[in-house]
Amino acid sequence: MDILGMLPSFGGFVGSLVAFVVALSVIVAIHEYGHYIVGRWCGIHAEVFSLGFGPVLFSGVDKRGTRWQIAALPFGGYVKFLGDSDAASGKDGDAITGLSETERKRTMHGADLWRRAATVAAGPVFNFILSILVFAGIFLFSGTTTDEAIIGKLKPLPGEVELFQEGDRILRVGDAEITDLEGFYLAARDAAPAPTVSYEVERDGQVVSFDSVFPFPPVIDQLQPKSAAMDGGLEVGDVIQSVNGTPVFALSEVQVAAQSNEDKPLDLLVWRNGEVLEKTLTPRQRDLPTADGFETRWLIGFSGGAFFEPTRQTLGAGDALWGGVRQTWFIAQSSLSGMWHMITGAISSCNIQGPIGIAQTSGDMASQGAAEFIWFIAVLSTAVGLLNLFPIPVLDGGHLVFHAYEAVVGRPPSDKALNAMMMGGLVLLLSLMVFALTNDFFCA
């Protein structure tokens, strides 16, 4: 049983909240554990490791004197090191003054510079490690497609898809000769939408010819969170048969209809497990990453593909790990590019989501199954790691800037300057949070 898939049965709000808390708790736990364990390796004593804020629900002290606790508000966490005045690692001057030189070395403010910097950087680094390992695990488990145009598994579709069999090697699509999977995709892209297309396949040493479904039918493989498709009740496996009364046979026809219709409602006939349903959806404007930046399009909010799943091959641990690194880098790079395009006004600032938007996205991903939700946690972990590296006082990146200043000048900023910058950073961070929360309410 897919427990994550049951989340919507609790109700949209509760399901999204539960998914959000689960995702955030995992990410925060890993982030804070990075601070804790590297600090411990560096000889810096952690007094408190807390998941959540506010009243403490459960707690216990380990043999090293660290209190581990779970607090009532599960929207973050912190590690309080010896000598810290608060969860943001502010300096407790009075407490540090009364310590011996040996004890001062065990504080976040008296340890060697490189030890402090390593402890601070460990939080975001552990977020990136989590993302890499999750992506690598998914790649290792699911494998990768081969480069052969061989049918691994047929998708349940109306029409003549049953003429195909698993293991068929596609030799021809229309007039295009197919030698590999890339050739099939190119032929599918160039083919004109039609109810059926002619095929040749190799089956048990024989060449078989017949007409069947369009190579890229309008079937839903994945739903985008916070999309018209998700909110309108479409499901993975649905096949769109008509748009505004016009039959459609190719995924591209649905994309063109959404783009040309813009913000006007679309009436859809949807095939689902032998039943035909009526749905009305209004496309939403979205900014999509491209090779040259971003493009703005009107979308229903789903992705599709071929009428079959290609054969797959297993990946070695090294290849899977490298795939995890590349995927994490791609997410970080896309996020930074998106931020720059928002700053320059090239794309809408509505792309910034607040806690409500992230919670809704969490629920939408969880409703699609465990694999999609785990993937989302890895994506969010990369975003959290990246955000924490921003050079804003209060965040890890701000502390690293202070450490860099100390390395160059030979002394840390004065306590007065630090307090002023920390207050400024807090104001800036709260302002960004309010702006993002406003987007949750006013951006579609």
Side-chain angles (χ1 to χ4, degrees):
M1 179 181 294
D2 186 357
I3 297 177
L4 289 172
M6 295 173 59
L7 284 174
S9 66
F10 292 100
F13 173 76
V14 175
S16 294
L17 182 62
V18 170
F20 177 54
V21 169
V22 169
L24 189 62
S25 296
V26 170
I27 293 167
V28 168
I30 294 297
H31 179 96
E32 298 302 332
Y33 186 77
H35 289 314
Y36 163 78
I37 193 62
V38 173
R40 197 181 90 186
W41 292 340
C42 291
I44 302 174
H45 175 62
E47 293 186 313
V48 180
F49 185 109
S50 180
L51 284 182
F53 297 96
V56 176
L57 302 178
F58 308 100
S59 70
V61 179
D62 65 17
K63 63 182 181 181
R64 293 183 175 83
T66 300
R67 177 173 296 280
W68 298 76
Q69 64 185 37
I70 297 177
L73 302 176
F75 302 110
Y78 62 90
V79 177
K80 182 178 179 294
F81 291 102
L82 181 64
D84 288 349
S85 62
D86 49 43
S89 287
K91 184 178 179 180
D92 188 343
D94 293 337
I96 293 177
T97 300
L99 298 177
S100 67
E101 185 62 28
T102 300
E103 290 173 326
R104 284 175 60 87
K105 291 290 186 182
R106 300 179 66 231
T107 71
M108 191 61 173
H109 305 276
D112 295 336
L113 178 59
W114 72 267
R115 298 178 191 273
R116 286 179 275 143
T119 301
V120 170
V125 169
F126 268 53
N127 281 133
F128 297 139
I129 291 174
L130 171 64
S131 300
I132 290 169
L133 292 179
V134 168
F135 291 137
I138 293 174
F139 295 149
L140 193 63
F141 177 79
S142 62
T144 185
T145 58
T146 67
D147 58 1
E148 298 180 302
I150 298 177
I151 295 176
K153 183 179 179 181
L154 289 166
K155 298 175 183 177
L157 300 171
E160 303 299 323
V161 70
E162 65 273 8
L163 294 175
F164 288 97
Q165 295 182 12
E166 295 181 7
D168 284 352
R169 179 188 295 274
I170 300 176
L171 303 177
R172 186 177 296 277
V173 175
D175 296 328
E177 185 176 345
I178 308 301
T179 58
D180 54 22
L181 189 61
E182 183 180 1
F184 170 81
Y185 288 146
L186 291 175
R189 183 197 64 185
D190 296 337
T196 60
V197 175
S198 62
Y199 293 89
E200 282 186 2
V201 302
E202 180 184 346
R203 179 185 303 162
D204 299 327
Q206 303 291 322
V207 175
V208 181
S209 302
F210 50 82
D211 292 344
S212 190
V213 296
F214 190 77
F216 278 5
V219 59
I220 297 176
D221 287 346
Q222 187 177 42
L223 294 164
Q224 272 75 56
K226 296 185 65 180
S227 65
M230 176 69 75
D231 295 343
L234 295 182
E235 298 179 2
V236 172
D238 285 353
V239 181
I240 298 175
Q241 295 189 306
S242 73
V243 178
N244 289 340
T246 302
V248 293
F249 310 102
L251 177 63
S252 60
E253 293 180 291
V254 181
Q255 295 170 332
V256 170
Q259 182 69 15
S260 60
N261 232 52
E262 297 187 350
D263 59 348
K264 301 179 183 63
L266 296 174
D267 295 322
L268 310 179
L269 282 184
V270 179
W271 180 91
R272 179 183 298 167
N273 298 324
E275 182 181 2
V276 177
L277 309 174
E278 295 182 0
K279 299 285 184 180
T280 299
L281 307 177
T282 301
R284 297 176 184 175
Q285 203 169 32
R286 292 291 182 262
D287 297 309
L288 303 178
T290 66
D292 301 321
F294 283 81
E295 67 174 357
T296 302
R297 295 175 57 189
W298 291 92
L299 303 171
I300 292 177
F302 72 88
S303 58
F307 63 86
F308 66 94
E309 296 177 9
T311 54
R312 306 187 72 84
Q313 60 186 4
T314 57
L315 280 176
D319 290 335
L321 188 61
W322 178 238
V325 171
R326 288 189 300 172
Q327 185 63 38
T328 301
W329 172 251
F330 170 76
I331 293 169
Q333 192 177 37
S334 298
S335 299
L336 290 173
S337 176
M339 292 175 190
W340 174 250
H341 280 78
M342 280 185 280
I343 291 172
T344 60
I347 61 176
S348 171
S349 59
C350 283
N351 286 281
I352 297 178
Q353 292 189 60
I356 295 176
I358 297 173
Q360 184 180 345
T361 301
S362 301
D364 287 350
M365 295 302 291
S367 69
Q368 297 187 61
E372 286 76 9
F373 184 59
I374 293 172
W375 182 277
F376 170 72
I377 289 177
V379 171
L380 190 58
S381 183
T382 301
V384 168
L386 189 63
L387 175 64
N388 270 276
L389 286 177
F390 283 9
I392 300 174
V394 179
L395 296 180
D396 295 328
H399 287 285
L400 290 174
V401 170
F402 298 152
H403 294 329
Y405 173 87
E406 182 178 351
V408 173
V409 177
R411 65 179 186 277
S414 67
D415 291 345
K416 184 177 181 180
L418 278 175
N419 290 335
M421 287 187 286
M422 293 289 278
M423 183 58 66
L426 182 60
V427 170
L428 175 60
L429 198 59
L430 289 175
S431 299
L432 289 173
M433 290 177 63
V434 170
F435 178 76
L437 187 61
T438 303
N439 280 352
D440 291 340
F441 287 104
F442 295 104
C443 292

